[in-house]
Amino acid sequence: MVQGFFLGLSTGAVCLAYCAPTLVPYILGEGKGVWQTSIIVAQFLGGRLLGYLFFAVIAWGLNCSLVNQLGSNEGAIGVIYIILAAALALYGLANKSALCAGRSSTWSGLWLNGQRPAMIPMSLGFLTGLNLCPPFLLALANASEFNQLSQSILFFFNFFLGTTVYFIPAPLLGTFNWLPAFKVVGKLAAAITAIYYLYTGIVMIGGGLLL
Amino acid sequence: MTNRVINPDILRPSAVSPLKVLLCSLPMLILTAFLISRGSMPVEPLKVVAFSMTYILINGLFFLMIYTGKVYHYRAILFITVAVAFIIAFGANLLEERGSMLLRTENTLAGDAPFCHLVIPAIIIPAVVTKTIIFPGTIIDRFASISGMLVLWLGASVALGRGWCSWVCFYGGLDEGFSCLCRKPVIKNIADQWRYLPWAVLLVVVLVSALTFSPAYCEWLCPFKTVTEFSAITSFKILVQTIIFLLLFISLVVVLPILTGRRIQCGLFCPFAAFQALTNKFNIFTIGINREKCVECKRCVKGCPTFSLDTVSVKQGKPLLSCTKCGKCIDNCPKQAISFRLKGIPVGVNTQSAKILFLYPAFTFAAAVGGGFIYGALIRVLKLITTGSMF
């Protein structure tokens, strides 16, 4: 089981690189202090843990065969990217202080405007957890050796703990909250990241169409 | 028929005598001779003609800048000329070396891609973390090597800060050229928040470059790929990228600058511009607004090509961090309330000295980079005229 932790520790920098384009704009966009940013990071990591555990269950239930296929299937990852893009775009553009002229009074608008703030970082964390980044695929390959669900879950939990070490400095981004401009930059960056994921998703789905 | 009113101030000579201006220009006359010729004076008639034309143009503009006291007008002429010359010289070089302006896989593998300053923000994190420069160029060999461009950028950043974007950048002149085409902007009001877009693009480009270990801006967002080097379309991905480059070029470099009269790509999109703005923090030159003379006519705010002035900054007597020191606000001010300034010296004191002190390094870098492109482009054009071939 310790193997999962060390695997996470050795590959966590890559996990951080995968999560940063989603997490950093969100933290800046919220404009909170270090303590409140710590809570945001914890919520994001909680969502990411849920994503990992979701795969742990699937890996155990399907003996990894389907998940491994998913890993090599760019179309499936492309769909996850597009969902992530939609979540980021909603956050970046539908938020009350964003540039978009129209204010939303729909459920999504209420949700994004702070009625249920914990859900946003958790959703983003969950979707990045489903990203199937290279370290995660490595973990999947290891998890396929376990026969019991508890073993699979524990392995992924330890893997998550190992990668989380690299997120410890993330709350320090809260020190930038003294300048309100960072909030605008963060929200705009979230919208641009959404375009990136949308673009990546479309390219992955349409990747087979070689000219 | 449209009535175009030429600002008489542009043509009005300053109080300085031509002889004094000539003496002031003498060091530049000597310096530019070395910079343009790269140390070896041309002997071929065609090169002599190209050299002479470049030399006269550059020094003529410098002379007029000092003589009339108007910086922006003559800088813009040089800046736009450099951008056009860059496209001609760069394209011709690629055609001569590769036979095509296409960047193929073999060129990438051979590290054959010319390095440009727009990549610099994207390479920093991977360089720090892995000691790897994520760009398929060469460190010291060949045209536009990585080290050559980095040294040039470092020197210019220390000397000019974000002045780079109005004096050295060989792309900015395209944006500026199109923004000058429309005398009366169609789009006048642009929300202040959009000024933060370059910072957002910078943030995403830096993070995505660190994630993918590839220069994200070059791969996806650089509008100037349309007129310089572009990838051969061999996949769906490259097709999408090419469409993005084309759309960004048409919208940010051509259409929006014409409609707004501002440098939209430079002021509202370019991530390098945001990154370069940070160098204004330690650069000694800035712009000062004399509050006692200012009548708050807002001509400077409305005219600033890169959105570096707003009513708050005018009240504070200084531009925003993004100021490119292009000199337009100085030329536009009807009360001469705006001037170049050395940090630490009060606003309105020794403004002429501050201007000369700034113009020397600024023009030296402009001549060092732009002079070479103009010279190179003129050689190609003259060859084309005289022999029917650029090569």
Side-chain angles (χ1 to χ4, degrees):
Chain A
M1 288 304 113
V2 180
Q3 194 190 358
F5 179 78
F6 285 112
L7 181 65
L9 202 60
S10 59
T11 59
V14 181
C15 285
L16 178 65
Y18 265 78
C19 291
T22 307
L23 182 61
V24 175
Y26 182 76
I27 291 175
L28 291 178
E30 287 300 288
K32 309 285 187 194
V34 174
W35 172 242
Q36 282 174 303
T37 305
S38 307
I39 296 168
I40 290 171
V41 174
Q43 288 164 345
F44 179 86
L45 291 173
R48 202 163 136 264
L49 176 63
L50 281 179
Y52 281 11
L53 296 182
F54 174 75
F55 268 110
V57 174
I58 291 179
W60 168 78
L62 300 170
N63 202 22
C64 256
S65 58
L66 179 68
V67 182
N68 281 334
Q69 277 178 17
L70 270 176
S72 59
N73 186 345
E74 288 207 329
I77 303 172
V79 171
I80 294 169
Y81 276 138
I82 289 172
I83 297 168
L84 181 59
L88 280 167
L90 267 174
Y91 172 70
L93 296 175
N95 199 285
K96 62 184 174 187
S97 54
L99 289 168
C100 188
R103 283 192 182 183
S104 176
S105 58
T106 60
W107 65 270
S108 59
L110 292 170
W111 180 65
L112 288 158
N113 286 342
Q115 301 284 316
R116 303 183 69 182
M119 287 302 288
I120 308 168
M122 282 193 79
S123 305
L124 295 176
F126 180 72
L127 288 165
T128 51
L130 297 181
N131 243 342
L132 295 177
C133 63
F136 188 75
L137 290 172
L138 263 175
L140 268 179
N142 275 272
S144 64
E145 295 166 9
F146 303 119
N147 295 321
Q148 292 181 351
L149 176 63
S150 58
Q151 282 180 317
S152 182
I153 286 178
L154 198 59
F155 179 84
F156 271 100
F157 184 74
N158 284 334
F159 173 75
F160 165 79
L161 285 181
T163 59
T164 299
V165 170
Y166 293 88
F167 289 81
I168 291 170
L172 293 176
L173 284 169
T175 53
F176 291 110
N177 76 333
W178 57 274
L179 192 63
F182 278 114
K183 282 185 82 169
V184 184
V185 170
K187 293 212 168 76
L188 286 170
I192 297 166
T193 309
I195 297 168
Y196 160 68
Y197 279 124
L198 178 70
Y199 166 73
T200 311
I202 290 170
V203 167
M204 279 181 160
I205 292 168
L209 304 170
L210 281 174
L211 295 176
Chain B
M1 191 179 148
T2 54
N3 290 322
R4 283 194 173 182
V5 181
I6 296 170
N7 182 358
D9 288 349
I10 288 171
L11 306 171
R12 188 182 64 198
S14 62
V16 188
S17 76
L19 189 65
K20 277 187 179 175
V21 176
L22 197 65
L23 279 172
C24 189
S25 306
L26 199 59
M28 192 55 76
L29 285 166
I30 299 164
L31 201 57
T32 49
F34 282 101
L35 289 171
I36 299 166
S37 66
R38 303 280 196 264
S40 63
M41 295 305 258
V43 283
E44 290 175 45
L46 191 135
K47 286 188 177 176
V48 171
V49 173
F51 175 82
S52 307
M53 287 169 77
T54 310
Y55 187 70
I56 291 166
L57 173 76
I58 286 179
N59 286 292
L61 289 172
F62 186 74
F63 179 88
L64 286 168
M65 214 179 263
I66 306 285
Y67 183 59
T68 63
K70 300 293 171 187
V71 173
Y72 175 78
H73 185 70
Y74 299 108
R75 184 206 58 82
I77 293 171
L78 178 65
F79 200 48
I80 296 164
T81 310
V82 168
V84 175
F86 166 71
I87 293 167
I88 297 169
F90 183 81
N93 269 355
L94 285 183
L95 287 171
E96 195 171 49
E97 282 191 15
R98 293 184 197 158
S100 158
M101 285 173 75
L102 291 171
L103 181 71
R104 296 192 176 88
T105 312
E106 54 264 34
N107 303 123
T108 308
L109 292 173
D112 204 13
F115 187 78
C116 102
H117 55 280
L118 301 183
V119 195
I120 292 170
I123 66 170
I124 290 175
I125 290 181
V128 169
V129 174
T130 65
K131 295 177 185 168
T132 306
I133 293 176
I134 52 164
F135 188 84
T138 54
I139 298 294
I140 48 172
D141 281 341
R142 297 185 197 167
F143 169 67
S145 66
I146 294 168
S147 59
M149 188 55 80
L150 285 177
V151 168
L152 176 73
W153 168 73
L154 273 173
S157 296
V158 170
L160 311 174
R162 208 197 152 186
W164 168 285
C165 297
S166 276
W167 293 87
V168 192
C169 178
F170 33 82
Y171 299 119
L174 291 176
D175 215 5
E176 181 133 37
F178 285 110
S179 72
C180 290
L181 288 179
C182 181
R183 287 273 170 188
K184 288 189 175 176
V186 178
I187 301 170
K188 288 176 184 169
N189 297 319
I190 295 166
D192 281 351
Q193 286 102 319
W194 289 112
R195 285 195 317 234
Y196 300 117
L197 187 59
W199 296 94
V201 178
L202 173 68
L203 180 66
V204 175
V205 162
V206 167
L207 292 174
V208 172
S209 298
L211 161 67
T212 59
F213 260 65
S214 60
Y217 185 73
C218 296
E219 280 196 358
W220 300 341
L221 297 173
C222 182
F224 301 110
K225 289 261 184 184
T226 309
V227 287
T228 55
E229 182 188 49
F230 44 86
S231 298
I233 298 171
T234 53
S235 66
F236 176 75
K237 183 182 172 184
I238 297 173
L239 174 69
V240 175
Q241 286 169 336
T242 308
I243 292 168
I244 291 171
F245 297 147
L246 196 63
L247 289 175
L248 286 176
F249 183 80
I250 292 168
S251 57
L252 297 173
V253 183
V254 181
V255 177
L256 284 172
I258 291 173
L259 295 178
T260 58
R262 313 274 193 114
R263 289 168 59 182
I264 298 297
Q265 158 67 17
C266 306
L268 299 184
F269 189 76
C270 180
F272 176 82
F275 178 71
Q276 191 65 18
L278 297 172
T279 61
N280 267 352
K281 277 280 180 194
F282 61 78
N283 179 246
I284 195 166
F285 296 107
T286 185
I287 302 292
I289 303 165
N290 191 335
R291 294 293 306 144
E292 288 171 8
K293 286 184 180 178
C294 179
V295 291
E296 296 190 6
C297 64
K298 293 183 186 173
R299 278 197 200 181
C300 52
V301 176
K302 288 172 192 164
C304 181
T306 51
F307 307 88
S308 303
L309 280 164
D310 59 15
T311 45
V312 177
S313 69
V314 170
K315 279 181 182 155
Q316 289 173 341
K318 60 181 183 183
L320 298 169
L321 191 64
S322 54
C323 175
T324 63
K325 298 154 199 173
C326 68
K328 190 168 187 180
C329 54
I330 299 171
D331 288 7
N332 272 3
C333 183
K335 299 291 176 187
Q336 284 84 46
I338 310 176
S339 57
F340 285 107
R341 185 171 80 87
L342 285 154
K343 284 178 186 169
I345 293 178
V347 177
V349 177
N350 286 334
T351 54
Q352 281 301 314
S353 305
K355 185 166 84 176
I356 298 290
L357 280 172
F358 173 72
L359 284 184
Y360 256 96
F363 215 86
T364 304
F365 276 104
V369 176
F373 288 132
I374 296 172
Y375 179 42
L378 278 174
I379 291 172
R380 301 287 184 182
V381 172
L382 289 172
K383 269 188 185 174
L384 184 68
I385 293 167
T386 53
T387 65
S389 167
M390 277 183 146
F391 313 108

